[in-house]
Amino acid sequence: ELPDGGARPNAAQFKQLVVTALRELHGEVGAALPVDVLTYEEKTLSAILRVISSGLVKLWSALTLLGFYQNRRCAFRVLQTSPFLLALSGNSRELIL
């Protein structure tokens, strides 16, 4: 979330932001964590990230504690996590039978 609007990061800048957040909280070991940006929507600022299960807590904490992007306030909101990629493709609560 970027509450003041302005320029939105593209996919490469978003990935760099994730790596920077990991580096700031967990150092070079955190920055070396393999994180993949599977999808990124610049318009809605939403993304699907893939990380190994042992790195989930590091990634989540780094994103939660990051407060600025290019000297502007920002916040990450984790909407869903899943060990299965297919589970992220839809919401079972909205399924019409």
Side-chain angles (χ1 to χ4, degrees):
E1 295 179 7
L2 293 169
D4 62 351
R8 296 170 179 261
N10 61 29
Q13 292 168 329
F14 180 79
K15 169 70 180 211
Q16 186 59 41
L17 182 61
V18 170
V19 172
T20 300
L22 284 163
R23 181 177 287 116
E24 285 181 6
L25 188 62
H26 301 290
E28 290 302 319
V29 172
L33 186 69
V35 177
D36 298 316
V37 179
L38 299 179
T39 63
Y40 174 67
E41 297 279 336
E42 189 172 333
K43 188 176 184 180
T44 60
L45 294 175
S46 61
I48 295 178
L49 304 176
R50 179 174 59 188
V51 65
I52 57 175
S53 60
S54 62
L56 177 62
V57 173
K58 284 183 181 178
L59 177 62
W60 197 330
S61 61
L63 294 179
T64 301
L65 294 174
L66 186 70
F68 289 91
Y69 169 69
Q70 294 182 345
N71 297 323
R72 297 183 337 211
R73 297 208 50 79
C74 75
F76 281 87
R77 183 179 306 173
V78 178
L79 300 177
Q80 190 174 2
T81 65
S82 175
F84 307 107
L85 189 56
L86 186 59
L88 299 176
S89 66
N91 185 347
S92 63
R93 295 174 191 259
E94 297 173 356
L95 183 64
I96 298 173
L97 299 174

